[in-house]
Amino acid sequence: MDAGSNTKSERSGGHFDRGEERRDTNWIALIRLPDGTEIPTTVRGISASGARLAVPISYVLPKSFMFKVIGRDFICAVQLVWRRGDYAGVRIERVGKVPSMQARRPAESLDPGTTLRARRSRFSEI
């Protein structure tokens, strides 16, 4: 996603013309701030270069942050473009793939002898 092709021109009131079509969504997501704080959000619309996030106005958003859609394997680094009420418009700067749970978690090393001894002790009591 090319950050330079995401808007054609800025109009009054902070609205931006898009170079591509926005698709309505209702994805549950988490915003991750630079300090590690996570804020629940909903992605209400998305295009190739931006998104509209539902974020309560009580949360202060920095100029740049990341968000991850729950149940999807990607994370977006974004720049805040506008904020109105409980909505925020962001420009997508980068999209990264999140490793699967199996790839992120090292395999647990089990000692087979321990497992077998535990089974034998249960059978020996019968």
Side-chain angles (χ1 to χ4, degrees), residues 32-112:
R32 166 80 49 103
L33 301 182
D35 69 359
T37 302
E38 292 185 331
I39 300 171
T41 188
T42 304
V43 180
R44 295 303 205 166
I46 196 158
S47 70
S49 62
R52 180 169 50 113
L53 307 176
V55 184
I57 197 165
S58 59
Y59 288 104
V60 176
L61 295 176
K63 186 69 178 158
S64 62
F65 55 90
M66 298 166 81
F67 77 86
K68 182 197 180 306
V69 178
I70 305 300
R72 308 246 175 185
D73 63 350
F74 63 90
I75 190 164
C76 298
V78 299
Q79 292 285 323
L80 182 64
V81 177
W82 55 264
R83 186 76 196 256
R84 281 187 298 282
D86 289 334
Y87 291 96
V90 296
R91 181 177 58 235
I92 298 172
E93 299 288 322
R94 288 186 321 258
V95 177
K97 186 169 176 61
V98 176
S100 68
M101 287 299 289
Q102 289 179 340
R104 281 189 282 176
R105 192 176 1 177
E108 291 183 28
S109 175
L110 296 177
D111 178 14

Side-chain angles (χ1 to χ4, degrees), residues 110-122:
L110 296 177
D111 178 14
T114 304
T115 304
L116 292 175
R117 279 192 296 274
R119 287 185 182 160
R120 265 185 288 188
S121 66
R122 278 189 275 149

